[in-house]
């Protein structure tokens, strides 16, 4: 391959390469026709692309040269594809739009979420104080609100926490207290625990799993013996605080953004698509080797088969009914495959549920793109 590329470079007068010791002070490293490989592009892509033997300093020059040949080949392929007008094909145009939408959504997230959070010195200080402590807790759990309230009443009346715990199903997993570190639990629960004194217990706390009552059994200090330990701890604290701020701001943005949005879907076509996917997945499961619980994926050949079954009049119908520029059935199916659709179960009920979730996700993404 290397010999082939060298010959190609020699034979094509449109390729110009700067390989002098001062090449990185030049405006570009190589020029291929009307395309150039700039210094920044080469350096960034070289540094961010994994490669064998990069750690061997004596091979640095040859590694860079080999990588440059790869970039030149890429530009040559791009020029040839352009000459063949492959950039005008339907699949390339669709992929280009899909990637554009991804970048626009990412920019929207940067502008509306990431750039609108700030972290104060006080917040970092409070987080540092928490991070300097390890908590050891036990808990009581119930899915039933009435039951957890009764348990809490027993505790308030003075019945020992461990006496109730030893009779509970959750006792087996906490014969030893559970260690809690900063950032491991939901922030509101964590705040309650860090404010407690050893021996205290919380009121019933509702989580996604059910109701919990926590008891603080012990508390100890974290000690950072080296400057590196301290620096790593500071980075961890900053990351946890930032991530929590991002989640909070994202929830706020989502609630405001989706508050008045309503978009309809063609229910008849939705069911037809689900039936076709179910049939295709079932065929794959029966005729190809799949391991147990291995998901079946919607691939390009499946898309073409579904499109053939639906026929052109249905493919051009509005499927996601935005007031302006609705998404056609054809665009939806291709977006579904591009984003990735799979299922371990092939029955229609499972496919309908997964397709419903994915459709909502596609609508959300499209709304974010249009807002961006």
């Amino acid at each position: 391959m290397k010999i082939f590329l060298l010959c190609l470079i020699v034979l094509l007068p449109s390729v110009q390469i700067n390989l002098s010791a001062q090449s990185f002070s030049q405006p570009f490293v190589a020029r291929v026709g009307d395309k150039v490989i700039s210094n920044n592009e080469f350096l960034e892509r070289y540094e961010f692309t994994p490669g064998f033997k990069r750690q061997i300093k004596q091979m640095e020059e040859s590694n860079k040269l080999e990588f440059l040949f790869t970039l030149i080949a890429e530009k040559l392929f791009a020029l040839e594809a352009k000459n063949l007008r492959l950039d005008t094909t339907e699949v390339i145009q669709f992929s280009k739009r899909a990637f554009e939408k991804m970048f626009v959504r990412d920019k929207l997230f940067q502008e509306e979420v990431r750039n609108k959070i700030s972290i104060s010195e006080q917040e970092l200080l409070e987080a540092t104080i928490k991070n300097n402590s390890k908590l050891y807790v036990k808990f009581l759990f119930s899915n039933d609100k009435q039951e957890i309230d009764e348990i809490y009443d027993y505790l308030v009346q003075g019945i020992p926490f461990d006496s109730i715990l030893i009779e509970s199903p959750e006792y087996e997993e906490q014969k030893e207290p559970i260690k809690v570190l900063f950032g491991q639990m939901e922030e509101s629960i964590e705040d309650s625990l860090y404010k407690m004194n050893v021996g205290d217990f919380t009121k019933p706390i509702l989580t996604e799993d059910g109701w919990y009552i926590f008891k603080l059994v012990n508390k100890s200090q974290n000690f950072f013996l080296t400057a590196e330990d301290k620096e790593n701890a500071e980075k961890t604290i900053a990351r946890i605080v930032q991530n929590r701020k991002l989640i909070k701001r994202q929830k706020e943005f989502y609630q405001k953004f989706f508050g008045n949005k309503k978009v309809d879907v063609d229910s008849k076509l939705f069911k037809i698509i689900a039936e076709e996917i179910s049939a295709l997945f079932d065929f794959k499961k029966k005729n190809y080797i799949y391991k147990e619980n291995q998901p079946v994926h919607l691939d390009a050949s499946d898309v073409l088969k579904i499109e053939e079954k639906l026929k052109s009049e249905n493919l051009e119908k509005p499927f996601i009914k935005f007031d302006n520029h609705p998404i056609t059935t054809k665009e939806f199916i291709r977006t579904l495959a591009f984003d990735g659709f799979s299922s371990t179960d092939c029955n229609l009920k499972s496919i309908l549920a997964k397709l419903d979730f994915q459709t909502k996700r596609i609508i959300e993404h499209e709304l974010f793109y249009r807002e961006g």
Side-chain angles (χ1 to χ4, degrees):
M1 176 61 78
K2 194 181 296 183
I3 294 171
F4 167 75
L5 289 172
L6 281 168
C7 293
L8 198 59
I9 292 165
V10 171
L11 291 171
L12 287 174
S14 61
V15 179
Q16 178 184 342
I17 310 174
N18 293 334
L19 291 176
S20 64
Q22 295 81 24
S23 65
F24 291 108
S25 65
Q26 303 297 321
F28 60 87
V29 181
R31 176 184 287 149
V32 185
D34 62 349
K35 296 182 179 294
V36 297
I37 301 170
S38 68
N39 306 340
N40 288 338
E41 179 185 359
F42 178 85
L43 287 171
E44 286 178 8
R45 293 186 63 179
Y46 180 80
E47 293 296 334
F48 284 102
T49 303
F52 294 111
K53 301 178 182 179
R54 290 280 180 89
Q55 75 280 9
I56 304 174
K57 292 295 181 184
Q58 295 88 332
M59 296 186 64
E60 185 174 13
E61 193 72 21
S62 62
N63 283 336
K64 287 184 175 179
L65 186 60
E66 183 176 357
F67 189 73
L68 177 59
F69 292 153
T70 303
L71 295 186
I72 290 170
E74 177 188 287
K75 302 298 181 185
L76 288 169
F77 285 135
L79 284 171
E80 180 63 12
K82 190 174 181 180
N83 289 336
L84 295 173
R85 295 183 58 77
L86 297 182
D87 57 325
T88 64
T89 60
E90 186 181 16
V91 65
I92 294 298
Q93 288 297 313
F94 172 83
S95 299
K96 181 181 176 183
R97 286 196 303 273
F99 281 112
E100 177 191 326
K101 289 181 178 183
M102 288 169 59
F103 290 130
V104 171
R105 290 197 303 268
D106 182 65
K107 183 62 176 175
L108 180 68
F109 179 84
Q110 296 290 333
E111 293 290 332
E112 294 294 337
V113 179
R114 190 176 295 278
N115 292 349
K116 290 192 176 180
I117 66 168
S118 60
I119 302 171
S120 67
E121 290 296 326
Q122 181 63 28
E123 288 172 319
L124 287 175
L125 177 61
E126 291 173 359
T128 302
I129 293 171
K130 290 180 181 178
N131 190 67
N132 288 342
S133 297
K134 294 178 190 174
L135 306 181
Y136 298 86
V137 303
K138 292 183 178 181
F139 67 86
L140 296 166
F141 172 80
S142 177
N143 281 315
D144 184 77
K145 175 69 165 63
Q146 184 177 346
E147 182 183 37
I148 202 74
D149 286 340
E150 289 175 356
I151 292 172
Y152 179 71
D153 287 340
Y154 293 148
L155 293 171
V156 171
Q157 291 168 22
I159 296 177
F161 192 96
D162 286 350
S163 297
I164 300 175
L165 177 61
I166 201 168
E167 300 295 332
S168 304
E170 58 268 21
Y171 171 69
E172 289 299 320
E173 60 183 289
Q174 48 180 321
K175 289 181 179 179
E176 295 294 327
I178 297 168
K179 182 169 67 175
V180 176
L181 300 176
F182 173 63
Q184 285 184 335
M185 303 185 79
E186 186 181 324
E187 190 174 3
S188 60
I189 299 174
E190 186 182 84
D191 286 340
S192 299
L193 296 180
Y194 275 100
K195 290 174 183 176
M196 289 165 58
N197 296 316
V198 173
D200 290 348
F201 53 85
T202 67
K203 291 181 178 181
I205 297 173
L206 179 61
T207 71
E208 292 181 357
D209 302 325
W211 293 90
Y212 286 86
I213 297 174
F214 293 96
K215 178 183 179 181
L216 182 60
V217 177
N218 200 0
K219 184 186 292 188
S220 64
Q221 292 297 116
N222 277 323
F223 294 99
F224 305 106
L225 302 178
T226 66
E228 184 180 2
D229 289 341
K230 186 178 179 182
E231 182 182 353
N232 288 336
E234 289 173 352
K235 288 179 181 177
T236 300
I237 292 165
R239 188 187 72 248
I240 292 170
V241 173
Q242 183 183 50
N243 287 342
R244 285 178 167 177
K245 286 261 187 175
L246 282 172
I247 292 169
K248 184 178 179 181
R249 171 57 195 156
Q250 187 176 28
K251 286 180 179 177
E252 292 171 353
F253 175 66
Y254 276 29
Q255 287 173 357
K256 182 179 178 182
F257 182 74
F258 289 116
N260 59 350
K261 301 288 192 299
K262 184 179 184 298
V263 182
D264 292 324
V265 171
D266 189 314
S267 57
K268 183 179 177 181
L269 285 170
F270 177 88
K271 188 174 181 182
I272 292 172
I273 293 169
E275 289 171 345
E276 292 297 334
I277 293 174
S278 177
L280 283 168
F281 281 14
D282 187 56
F283 177 84
K284 286 184 176 182
K285 278 275 191 180
K286 290 177 179 176
N287 292 275
Y288 299 99
I289 299 173
Y290 279 89
K291 296 178 182 177
E292 188 177 358
N293 294 325
Q294 180 181 354
V296 184
H297 295 269
L298 185 72
D299 57 34
S301 61
D302 297 327
V303 169
L304 295 176
K305 289 174 184 175
I306 293 172
E307 289 180 354
E308 187 178 352
K309 286 282 188 71
L310 289 175
K311 299 182 181 177
S312 58
E313 60 267 22
N314 284 322
L315 291 176
E316 298 308 318
K317 282 183 179 179
F319 179 76
I320 299 177
K321 300 178 180 180
F322 290 103
D323 292 336
N324 296 312
H325 308 295
I327 293 177
T328 64
T329 308
K330 184 176 184 178
E331 186 180 354
F332 170 77
I333 296 169
R334 296 195 172 197
T335 302
L336 193 66
F338 183 87
D339 289 348
F341 183 87
S342 64
S343 179
T344 53
D345 297 317
C346 303
N347 61 76
L348 182 58
K349 184 178 178 181
S350 296
I351 297 299
L352 281 167
K354 284 185 174 290
L355 189 61
D356 180 64
F357 173 81
Q358 198 76 351
T359 302
K360 289 175 181 175
R361 188 166 174 267
I362 289 172
I363 292 171
E364 288 179 1
H365 283 183
E366 183 66 20
L367 287 169
F368 284 143
Y369 164 69
R370 294 183 182 204
E371 177 70 11

